[in-house]
Amino acid sequence: MALITSDTDRFEAARPRLEAIAYRLLGSASEAEDAVQETYLRWQAADVARIEVPEAWLTKVLTNYCLNQLTSARARRETYVGRWLPEPLLAGDPMLGPADTAEQRESVSYAVLVVLERLTPNERAVYVLREAFDYPHREIAEILDISEAASQQILHRAKKHVADGRARTEIDAAAARRIVEEFLAAATSGRTEPLVRLLTQDAVAVGDGGGKVPARAKAFEGAVAVATFLRGLFKPADAKRKLVGGAPDIYATTANGEPAFVAVVDGRVVAITCLEVTPEGIVAVRSQVNPDKLVRATEQWAARTIKEEPLHRL
């Protein structure tokens, strides 16, 4: 059945919310776009006039498609080269979705997206729909074909996994920039001591190169090991410049609400590093260098309305 203009407009009005849900569920902007497109195709094929609550119908179709994708993704990631990390989104990207409450901001933070990878598909769906989009358990139960009681129990388990016993710190843009500036000053000092002071004793550093860019699959663990690794990473070298096609300019930003810095070569984002900050210090340094997961970030970077000078050039 062909859609009339108003039906298409109705879907397009729902698209930003659907993309934000799909991104949180899949941890990938490109996969989220594919999920929303698949939902549109099913909407296009449906008898829209018989759908009583279009928003609920669209959310159910999208969520269940994403659940199927998550199930197959687990098998695909067993053959993924190196460590798999989510695709980071730069500040202002509409796919980050609502950020009015602490729960909404936490649900899309890079640290939480990493943790969500450990949840079952149903746990992830319940957590996202409830915490980020405030769906009542009655509606979640209908979307996932489970009982309300089961939805509540699943949310309890999911929140326990996400909390992970660690107190996260909410950081505004100004504080995030100060953290990045201090971190870069320490990382480029040529000494490990300044970095060790910024890191927690159990800090980790990990990167995702997807087999296309060198990145250590096994995380560096402990403040000294992480600091030593970072000191070497920020030491200029011709081989590194050749690898990324030039000397990267380093800019402070936020990604998924966390302090972050971007490495840019000729307008192309070649790395995004997110810093997970707790009251005790920086507990994780996660770098996304897989070029497939930096396409959207490059587009967003090019669309910036405010340009600034880099903090550092490697």
Side-chain angles (χ1 to χ4, degrees), residues 95-313:
M95 198 176 280
L96 289 170
D100 299 325
T101 68
E103 289 79 10
Q104 289 172 337
R105 291 188 292 273
E106 181 177 67
S107 71
V108 78
S109 72
Y110 205 64
V112 167
L113 286 182
V114 170
V115 175
L116 290 183
E117 286 296 310
R118 306 174 198 162
L119 305 186
T120 67
N122 266 14
E123 286 173 341
R124 187 163 185 164
V126 171
Y127 179 84
V128 166
L129 292 173
R130 180 63 186 157
E131 294 297 289
F133 296 91
D134 202 28
Y135 278 82
H137 283 289
R138 174 183 54 80
E139 292 185 27
I140 296 174
E142 291 174 359
I143 289 169
L144 299 178
D145 293 323
I146 57 177
S147 68
E148 282 189 60
S151 177
Q152 292 167 345
Q153 291 169 356
I154 290 171
L155 178 66
H156 178 73
R157 289 200 307 269
K159 289 177 73 172
K160 187 175 180 181
H161 286 306
V162 170
D164 197 29
R166 192 182 300 283
R168 293 185 175 85
T169 303
E170 278 213 72
I171 297 168
D172 61 25
R177 184 178 181 86
R178 289 195 298 271
I179 289 169
V180 172
E181 288 175 346
E182 188 175 5
F183 178 87
L184 287 175
T188 57
S189 68
R191 298 181 295 120
T192 58
E193 294 81 0
L195 277 167
V196 170
R197 287 195 292 269
L198 297 179
L199 300 166
T200 62
Q201 286 304 304
D202 60 347
V204 298
V206 66
D208 176 352
K212 300 185 176 183
V213 175
R216 182 180 166 96
K218 183 172 170 37
F220 290 92
E221 299 180 354
V224 174
V226 171
T228 302
F229 160 68
L230 291 170
R231 183 188 63 186
L233 183 67
F234 279 88
K235 187 176 180 180
D238 290 338
K240 296 175 188 176
R241 291 170 180 161
K242 184 177 180 181
L243 184 66
V244 296
D249 289 325
I250 310 296
Y251 298 84
T253 187
T254 60
N256 296 74
E258 292 185 355
F261 54 91
V262 235
V264 182
V265 176
D266 295 330
R268 177 172 51 90
V269 174
V270 297
I272 299 176
T273 297
C274 298
L275 307 177
E276 182 183 351
V277 180
T278 68
E280 291 75 37
I282 297 170
V283 72
V285 180
R286 300 184 178 97
S287 298
Q288 183 55 260
V289 293
N290 183 344
D292 293 343
K293 298 182 183 181
L294 296 172
V295 173
R296 185 180 178 92
T298 295
E299 293 171 353
Q300 292 292 314
W301 189 258
R304 290 175 306 148
T305 55
I306 300 176
K307 310 296 183 180
E308 59 183 90
E309 292 298 313
L311 292 178
H312 187 74
R313 170 169 283 193

Side-chain angles (χ1 to χ4, degrees), residues 5-123:
T5 302
S6 60
D7 293 329
T8 301
D9 291 344
R10 186 179 297 175
F11 182 88
E12 290 305 319
R15 183 184 290 274
R17 177 181 56 84
L18 296 175
E19 287 187 345
I21 292 173
Y23 171 68
R24 283 169 165 83
L25 288 176
L26 300 172
S28 164
S30 59
E31 290 180 12
E33 290 173 340
D34 290 344
V36 173
Q37 182 61 23
E38 180 63 30
T39 303
Y40 175 72
L41 294 176
R42 297 185 187 187
W43 170 257
Q44 194 175 37
D47 186 352
V48 175
R50 297 175 64 87
I51 298 174
E52 294 183 6
V53 186
E55 180 181 292
W57 188 93
L58 291 169
T59 304
K60 183 180 178 72
V61 170
L62 175 84
T63 301
N64 282 283
Y65 177 83
C66 288
L67 291 180
N68 289 334
Q69 293 299 104
L70 283 172
T71 300
S72 61
R74 288 176 181 270
R76 291 198 308 273
R77 286 171 195 170
E78 288 180 3
T79 60
Y80 189 83
V81 179
R83 179 69 66 93
W84 190 96
L85 290 176
E87 178 178 347
L89 298 181
L90 299 177
D93 191 312
M95 198 176 280
L96 289 170
D100 299 325
T101 68
E103 289 79 10
Q104 289 172 337
R105 291 188 292 273
E106 181 177 67
S107 71
V108 78
S109 72
Y110 205 64
V112 167
L113 286 182
V114 170
V115 175
L116 290 183
E117 286 296 310
R118 306 174 198 162
L119 305 186
T120 67
N122 266 14
E123 286 173 341

